Amino acid sequence: MFVDSHCHLDFPDYQGQLAVVLERMTANQVTHAMCISVNLPDFPGVLALAEANGNLFATVGVHPDNEDTPEPGEDQLVELARHPKILALGETGLDYYRLGERSVADMEWQRERFRVHIRAAKRVGKPLVIHTRSSAEDTLAIMREEGAGEAGGVMHCFTETWEFAKAAMDLGFHISMSGIVTFKNARELQETAKKIPMDRLLIETDSPYLAPVPYRGKTNEPSYVRHVAECVADLRGVPLARFGEETTDNFFQLFNGIL
């Protein structure tokens, strides 16, 4: 009924807990989850989760926040992404939130990494999982310049404006709502969640981060994506079962029509 389109089950938070986490997914009607890669050294562990569990999938990519890590090459990403359990490239994108003493100009390495992911996604014919924080204008500019719409994908853990959502959807991208949408102070995001066309919506947890109400502040997990669904379905005034079915269909249609 529900799919968690973005989680990090390879993180230490779940060490020795995976069986229980998967059981709670089943109990909450969360049928599948996408395990997201954030660097290449840990990628084998992400892939191993997907290979060992029929209801888990994976991505390959290097998060824009990860600076001191092996840089991905375009050919390397293409080769790794050919695996049948790898459904997307990412998470990739831009993040200027932690500039510190650096300027935006100093983040050219991030912009180039983003371009490499887009080019690889287009070559291998798989979608992108895009992260953007404090970098909306540059994110959209690079997506346009590199023709990211040819690959398609999702703007994950969406917190930007409605105008940004429209621009991303114009490029062929989906919008994914996380537990943030359940927070009381997320009124603007809640209004955006009401406006997104139903066939462009996904839901996610970004586990272990950003647990939704009523678990805010605790370790997040895929079973909690049900609470994201409940919140957005209520905002939109649609039955939960229908919302779950449609966002699940969106997930499988976006990621190469699997299943």
Side-chain angles (χ1 to χ4, degrees), residues 150-220:
E150 295 177 33
V154 58
M155 310 305 297
H156 112 86
C157 194
F158 191 81
T159 56
E160 298 293 341
T161 63
W162 168 238
E163 288 70 27
F164 184 102
K166 288 191 294 183
M169 289 188 291
D170 285 345
L171 291 171
F173 279 73
H174 288 59
I175 307 296
S176 182
M177 291 290 158
S178 71
I180 293 173
V181 76
T182 71
F183 299 172
K184 289 183 179 179
N185 62 352
R187 292 185 180 88
E188 182 179 357
L189 182 61
Q190 291 166 0
E191 290 302 313
T192 296
K194 295 178 186 179
K195 298 177 184 178
I196 296 167
M198 191 62 234
D199 63 355
R200 293 297 190 92
L201 263 176
L202 297 179
I203 52 176
E204 66 172 88
T205 60
D206 201 11
S207 308
Y209 311 115
L210 304 172
V213 174
Y215 299 103
R216 186 173 182 181
K218 298 182 179 180
T219 300
N220 204 358

Side-chain angles (χ1 to χ4, degrees), residues 2-124:
F2 307 109
V3 173
D4 182 359
S5 66
H6 194 112
C7 62
H8 300 280
L9 293 182
D10 63 308
F11 281 17
D13 308 70
Y14 306 108
Q15 188 171 4
Q17 300 295 315
L18 184 62
V20 174
V21 167
L22 294 176
E23 287 174 5
R24 285 198 287 258
M25 281 176 57
T26 300
N28 284 277
Q29 297 180 286
V30 181
T31 59
H32 299 81
M34 180 95 93
C35 299
I36 304 295
S37 169
V38 296
N39 62 55
L40 294 181
D42 293 334
F43 168 72
V46 178
L47 179 58
L49 285 171
E51 288 180 320
N53 297 276
N55 65 335
L56 299 182
F57 302 105
T59 70
V60 59
V62 181
H63 193 289
D65 259 346
N66 289 355
E67 186 170 2
D68 297 322
T69 192
E71 198 65 34
E74 185 179 328
D75 290 344
Q76 181 183 23
L77 288 173
V78 168
E79 186 61 31
L80 293 172
R82 294 193 193 282
H83 192 288
K85 290 287 279 204
I86 300 301
L87 302 190
L89 282 287
E91 73 187 90
T92 184
L94 300 177
D95 194 323
Y96 299 162
Y97 184 72
R98 297 182 181 87
L99 286 179
E101 297 181 358
R102 298 175 296 184
S103 69
V104 169
D106 294 328
M107 308 307 284
E108 181 58 30
W109 62 272
Q110 248 190 35
R111 292 185 287 274
E112 180 57 27
R113 180 186 290 174
F114 188 20
R115 292 180 189 278
V116 166
H117 281 77
I118 295 172
R119 293 166 188 167
K122 289 164 60 178
R123 281 177 56 189
V124 79

Side-chain angles (χ1 to χ4, degrees), residues 1 198 233 236-249:
M1 185 176 181
M198 191 62 234
R236 297 173 67 95
V238 299
L240 179 62
R242 174 182 155 196
F243 182 85
E245 290 170 3
E246 294 194 11
T247 50
T248 294
D249 287 345

